[in-house]
Amino acid sequence: MSKMKLITAAIVSASAVMASQAVMAYEVGDVFVRGGVAQTDTGSGNGNVGGADLNVQSARGFTYGAGYLFSDKFGVELNSSEKFEHDLNTTPGGSAGSVDRLPVNLLVNYYPMGGLDSKVQPYVGLGLNYTSFSSEPSGLSIDESYGAIGQAGVDLAVTDNVMLNGYVSYADVSADINAAGATVGEVDIEPVTIGGGITYRF
């Protein structure tokens, strides 16, 4: 067995041991930060522009967030990401350039295992999504969007403070597309985002 395989096996074994021993309880007053990577799927039929159907392609990017528990089972979370760069296609017409999308989400999360010692801490959340667009194709501008967002996720304790995180979220994003001061279409996407990363609890 090569040295690299031995090192990898040792790291995996140590992580498994730590995870099996780590037990944590989410409690009132806890503060956490999260970071990771997410893939956002925009589906198809994402509105129209200039009489043509619009399709916004899926994208991937880094995500981050922070939260605070105001009780053992409830907390607030503010999260965002780097700008997702989406390719745009129209039917008919083909490629229509690209656009950057920046989501900012404010949610109230419910932790059903809050207050209980458990290395698995699931959560669900509901809140408000704000989305801004930039770097639109020449001659076009897209308004800001406000809509609902929901998420479900889980934290798996590795140590008392470090957790592996995974989640899925769904948002409602709708905004007018403008050209020369007039509305020429609408972008209507309902991104489903799947992400994973690390949570650090203070």
Side-chain angles (χ1 to χ4, degrees):
M1 184 179 290
S2 68
K3 289 184 179 180
M4 182 56 68
K5 289 183 178 179
L6 284 171
I7 293 172
T8 302
I11 292 172
V12 171
S13 299
S15 298
V17 170
M18 286 189 295
S20 66
Q21 294 178 345
V23 175
M24 68 166 190
Y26 270 136
E27 298 174 338
V28 59
D30 282 353
V31 176
F32 64 83
V33 293
R34 290 193 176 117
V37 177
Q39 172 79 22
T40 182
D41 183 358
T42 54
S44 60
N46 306 128
N48 60 86
V49 57
D53 292 334
L54 179 66
N55 288 312
V56 180
Q57 301 302 303
S58 300
R60 179 180 299 174
F62 293 104
T63 61
Y64 49 87
Y68 171 77
L69 271 68
F70 53 82
S71 78
D72 287 348
K73 294 187 179 295
F74 289 94
V76 293
E77 179 179 351
L78 180 66
N79 63 49
S80 185
S81 69
E82 65 174 332
K83 292 180 180 180
F84 289 108
E85 182 179 358
H86 297 276
D87 291 331
L88 303 176
N89 294 323
T90 57
T91 306
S95 177
S98 65
V99 67
D100 290 343
R101 178 177 64 92
L102 179 63
V104 179
N105 307 304
L106 180 62
L107 302 109
V108 175
N109 291 333
Y110 169 64
Y111 300 87
M113 301 291 288
L116 303 176
D117 284 331
S118 173
K119 63 182 178 183
V120 178
Q121 292 287 346
Y123 60 91
V124 293
L126 290 173
L128 177 67
N129 164 263
Y130 163 79
T131 297
S132 63
F133 296 89
S134 60
S135 301
E136 298 96 327
S138 179
L140 298 179
S141 65
I142 303 177
D143 291 345
E144 300 167 330
S145 168
Y146 293 89
I149 184 171
Q151 73 171 2
V154 63
D155 285 319
L156 173 64
V158 177
T159 70
D160 287 342
N161 300 101
V162 178
M163 291 149 276
L164 302 178
N165 173 256
Y167 73 92
V168 59
S169 69
Y170 169 88
D172 179 22
V173 178
S174 179
D176 289 336
I177 302 173
N178 306 299
T183 299
V184 296
E186 181 184 33
V187 58
D188 185 9
I189 60 178
E190 298 175 345
V192 175
T193 302
I194 299 175
I198 301 294
T199 298
Y200 185 83
R201 182 181 68 152
F202 295 92

